[in-house]
Amino acid sequence: MFNLVLFGPPGSGKGTQSTNIIDKYNLVHISTGDILRSEVNNGSPLGVEAKKYMDQGMLVPDEVVIGMISSKLDENPDVKGFIFDGFPRTVAQAEALDNLLDFKNNPIDIVLSLLVGEAELKTRLISRGESSGRSDDNEEVITKRIKEYHAKTSPVSDYYKRNNKLSEIKGEGTVEQIFALLSEAIDAHIE
Ligand code: AP5
């Protein structure tokens, strides 16, 4: 099994690059943002609760997302591996993921961290907001999401650095150039 975390701030290209990685390496995609948006669209109790946080650019409480991940892992017992996109986003989530995967004897293999400057993040997200219909793609909420990232999510990269799992990847350039760098890091790890 091969388990990969694609890490980075809002708008760094996690979703875009996940699509490419899944196709090439045959991994199952787990995006907590996508799962939460689908719960919001279905109007489920979880979605109604999550929406309050998402619309303000704040993280949804750890226990909610950790429960979602645990269910997803159980639903996919015989797969080549997972790509985690937008999770873990706090150190508590990273520790919970390690516990869940250790229990299955399939730890995280590699964490690829996309490095993108703040001005570029804002440009990408504002531009996406013009067509996405996402309630969190407007200037005010984008600023809060980036602030939340610095406060709660960036310590996750130190957590993985301490565990020798982190590789930093330049996340600016064309989608193809960035995918080539990600593939290089994955291939080096697999070999
Ligand atoms: P989530 O959906 O995970 O949002 P995010 O992390 O803010 O990231 P995005 O999906 O907005 O960006 P991305 O990095 O995937 O970039 P993308 O490829 O789309 O989370 C949303 C909310 O849900 C959170 O705020 C929180 O409330 C909640 N949530 C989710 N997970 C949670 C968790 N684990 N714990 C607690 N709460 C959680 O690219 C962005 C744009 O840039 C696109 O338009 C794309 O086409 C473009 N683009 C991509 N690459 C390039 C490139 N190389 N050059 C130019 N443009 C590019």
Side-chain angles (χ1 to χ4, degrees), residues 1-154:
M1 202 176 210
F2 181 74
N3 289 321
L4 183 161
V5 172
L6 193 54
F7 183 81
S12 55
K14 302 182 294 295
T16 305
Q17 296 296 343
S18 288
T19 311
N20 292 331
I21 295 171
I22 295 156
D23 286 349
K24 182 165 179 186
Y25 296 96
N26 205 10
L27 303 176
V28 171
H29 185 209
I30 299 188
S31 157
T32 41
D34 288 350
I35 301 169
L36 288 166
R37 275 185 291 279
S38 139
E39 295 284 346
V40 170
N41 291 337
N42 292 339
S44 69
L46 192 157
V48 171
E49 186 58 22
K51 190 173 188 312
K52 295 180 201 159
Y53 296 91
M54 295 169 80
D55 282 354
Q56 293 181 61
M58 289 165 60
L59 294 183
V60 172
D62 285 338
E63 57 274 20
V64 174
V65 276
I66 291 166
M68 283 173 4
I69 292 287
S70 179
S71 314
K72 281 284 164 196
L73 296 179
D74 291 342
E75 282 165 23
N76 293 280
D78 299 313
V79 296
K80 278 188 83 175
F82 293 97
I83 173 165
F84 297 94
D85 159 6
F87 180 91
R89 250 179 158 99
T90 62
V91 171
Q93 290 180 18
E95 288 169 347
L97 181 61
D98 277 349
N99 288 337
L100 286 169
L101 293 175
D102 283 350
F103 186 67
K104 295 174 193 296
N105 277 324
N106 290 310
I108 291 294
D109 289 282
I110 187 169
V111 178
L112 299 176
S113 171
L114 291 167
L115 305 180
V116 179
E118 204 160 306
E120 171 73 8
L121 296 175
K122 286 186 172 167
T123 305
R124 287 185 191 179
L125 292 173
I126 286 167
S127 156
R128 186 180 66 186
E130 285 160 11
S131 55
S132 69
R134 266 179 67 160
S135 56
D136 56 355
D137 274 354
N138 60 71
E139 197 154 0
E140 191 192 339
V141 180
I142 290 166
T143 302
K144 283 200 200 149
R145 282 160 68 195
I146 293 176
K147 201 168 161 208
E148 189 85 331
Y149 170 82
H150 288 302
K152 296 181 184 163
T153 305
S154 69

